[in-house]
Structures are given as C-alpha cells and as structure tokens.
Amino acid sequence: MKESTFNPAQQEKDISSKIVAGMERISEVFKILLWEKAKLVGLSPIQIQILIFIAFHKQSLCNVSHLAKEFNVTKPTVSDAIRVLDKKGLILKDFSSSDSRSYSITLSELGTGIVSETYNFSYPLKKQIDGFSPSELESLFGTLSQLIYKLNRNGILTVQRTCYGCKFYEKDNENDYCSLLQKELSNQEIRLDCPEYEEKASS
C-alpha cells in the first residue's frame, strides 16, 4: 500500500510516481471534456469517440473488431454502441466485404453533423498545451511517443500507429528514418496515428 503511485509520500521521493499521478489527473480532464459534449448531443462518450474515429480514419479500420481494440473495450460494448448509432441514423453499415458476417461503418450525413459539433471536445486541453514553448513541446512529445510505443510493446496498450512500431521505420546513425517517405524524420515529425502505418513483424 505504501508504495502506491497515489501515495503523496511515495510521490515526494519518486518522480516517476509523481508523473503517473499527474497523467491520471490529465486523463480525468479528458473524460470530463468528453462527458460534457456527450450530454449536449445525447450520446455516450464511447459513441462520440467511435463517430470521431470513423470520421478521420480509413474504412478498413472502421469495424467492430478494430474499434474494440482501439478503445480497449469488448466487442459486445462496441456492438451496443453501433446499434444505438445506427438506430439514431448516425452511421451506415457497409456489407460489401467478402465476409458476409462483417461490415465496415461510415458516417451518415446526420453523423457527420454530430462530429462537427463534438470533434473539438479536447480543445480546452490543447489550448493549455499550446502555451508551452516549442522546445518544451518537442521534449514532451518525444517522451510521450516513446511511452506509447513501450506500453504497446508490453501489451498494455493494444493499438498504436506510431512510427516506432511501423515496418517503414528505421534508426539510421541515431537518426529516425521513414523508408516509405524516404526521408529522415525530426522528433516532431514522428507520428502517433499514421495513415500509412503497417505493423513491424515481431523479431
């Protein structure tokens, strides 16, 4: 019990614990902002997250199986959310794949309208981050992108599309390099959600 990251005494002697506690506070902010938007449009947070994801990602990722992995929830949870969104006329199901049991999901015109009302729910958080200096932002992003990659490699974070786990990523003399773009990548060019991401084969 004493070694908990949420024990203030532990935080005082271990900066990692202090950082984890700080990240927990930030996750609370994210949930609060999402809930506020959800109440305005009469949807649940996961329903809004699904709509926003569909709006900005390729159709091959917009199916029940992938959405369950993306948001770390069960397939039945996603199916329930999809059923409500379908009933409200916010999505369309595309059964054109070779597997007649599966379908991909696209937004209806009404769903696109809901996304335009909700996609900016995180802006109050972004506004505060915008206040940091360029060097602070670059340092924070570098640490964050490495943390996401490590959490994925340890099986804690199911899905990630960051450069570090992509088959096109190479480390060349301490420089980050993308063989798809055929260019070196600066720290700020490392992507967290790359449309061209392809998972690196396990070594």
Side-chain angles (χ1 to χ4, degrees), residues 126-140:
K126 181 184 182 300
K127 187 177 179 182
Q128 298 306 313
I129 294 172
D130 284 342
F132 288 104
S133 70
S135 62
E136 287 172 327
L137 289 172
E138 192 163 336
S139 175
L140 178 59

Side-chain angles (χ1 to χ4, degrees), residues 22-66:
M23 292 175 74
E24 194 256 351
R25 294 279 181 91
I26 291 170
S27 75
E28 287 299 319
V29 170
F30 197 87
K31 283 190 283 187
I32 289 165
L33 294 173
L34 187 53
W35 261 114
E36 286 177 354
K37 283 289 185 181
K39 286 185 286 186
L40 284 176
V41 296
L43 295 174
S44 72
I46 187 66
Q47 288 162 5
I48 287 180
Q49 286 178 299
I50 287 172
L51 289 177
I52 293 172
F53 183 88
I54 293 168
F56 297 110
H57 291 83
K58 57 188 176 184
Q59 199 169 345
S60 61
L61 298 179
C62 300
N63 56 66
V64 171
S65 294
H66 183 82

Side-chain angles (χ1 to χ4, degrees), residues 107-176:
L107 293 178
S108 68
E109 190 174 337
L110 195 57
T112 302
I114 291 291
V115 169
S116 70
E117 291 180 52
T118 57
Y119 76 95
N120 63 348
F121 76 89
S122 61
Y123 275 21
L125 183 56
K126 181 184 182 300
K127 187 177 179 182
Q128 298 306 313
I129 294 172
D130 284 342
F132 288 104
S133 70
S135 62
E136 287 172 327
L137 289 172
E138 192 163 336
S139 175
L140 178 59
F141 176 71
T143 303
L144 192 61
S145 56
Q146 285 286 353
L147 178 60
I148 289 169
Y149 174 65
K150 288 178 180 180
L151 289 171
N152 173 256
R153 285 296 160 210
N154 283 301
I156 298 168
L157 190 62
T158 314
V159 175
Q160 58 86 31
R161 287 180 292 277
T162 184
C163 296
Y164 301 124
C166 181
K167 75 174 190 178
F168 300 119
Y169 172 79
E170 299 170 16
K171 194 78 172 175
D172 180 25
N173 295 324
E174 297 306 309
N175 295 316
D176 300 306

Side-chain angles (χ1 to χ4, degrees), residues 3 6 19 45 93 96 100-101 105 114 116 181 187 203:
E3 295 303 309
F6 301 105
I19 290 168
K93 293 180 179 179
S96 62
S100 60
R101 296 168 301 169
I105 305 150
I114 291 291
S116 70
L181 300 177
N187 183 39
S203 51

